[in-house]
Amino acid sequence: MIQKKDDKQIQHQFHVRQNRQIIAIAIALFLVLLSAVLYKRPLFFGELSKGKLYGMQIAAIAAFLGFTVVNWKCPSCDKSLGSNINKRVCGKCGARLH
Ligand SMILES: [Zn+2]
């Protein structure tokens, strides 16, 4: 049987991951919005083709999803925490996260 990490350690780990996840969401949103704004202002950024902006959006979303897979896991059982950023209890192992 796997040694259970103590609750404080799990909650601390979860907060670190939660903060990183919020920052990642902010960066991803910023990049997607930025490319959307650039997309509507081709006069100011004529050198950026629409294909490149589209690629930038895809890259931002892909990087975000990749980061989420690595970061957004339960500190106790390493299973994905799903889409709820304010999760209180891990649905997989029942560890208290808050
Ligand atoms: Zn868990």
Side-chain angles (χ1 to χ4, degrees), residues 74 76-78 90 92-95:
C74 170
S76 182
C77 67
D78 268 354
C90 172
K92 305 289 190 322
C93 71

Side-chain angles (χ1 to χ4, degrees), residues 11-25 71-72 81 84-87 97-98:
Q11 284 161 25
H12 173 75
Q13 268 273 324
F14 175 74
H15 276 285
V16 170
R17 285 171 193 229
Q18 193 181 34
N19 284 335
R20 279 200 296 233
Q21 194 63 26
I22 289 166
I23 292 166
I25 289 169
N71 180 63
W72 196 233
L81 289 169
N84 185 359
I85 192 83
N86 280 315
K87 221 161 170 87
L97 302 169
H98 268 278

Side-chain angles (χ1 to χ4, degrees), residues 11-81:
Q11 284 161 25
H12 173 75
Q13 268 273 324
F14 175 74
H15 276 285
V16 170
R17 285 171 193 229
Q18 193 181 34
N19 284 335
R20 279 200 296 233
Q21 194 63 26
I22 289 166
I23 292 166
I25 289 169
I27 292 171
L29 268 180
F30 173 75
L31 288 175
V32 168
L33 287 177
L34 180 72
S35 50
V37 168
L38 294 180
Y39 194 87
K40 290 196 168 168
R41 305 257 191 290
L43 289 175
F44 297 126
F45 300 94
E47 75 276 11
L48 277 172
S49 72
K50 291 191 171 184
K52 273 185 191 161
L53 287 172
Y54 187 65
M56 187 174 138
Q57 278 183 315
I58 299 292
I61 292 164
F64 171 71
L65 290 178
F67 177 81
T68 300
V69 167
V70 174
N71 180 63
W72 196 233
K73 291 189 293 193
C74 170
S76 182
C77 67
D78 268 354
K79 297 279 179 352
S80 169
L81 289 169

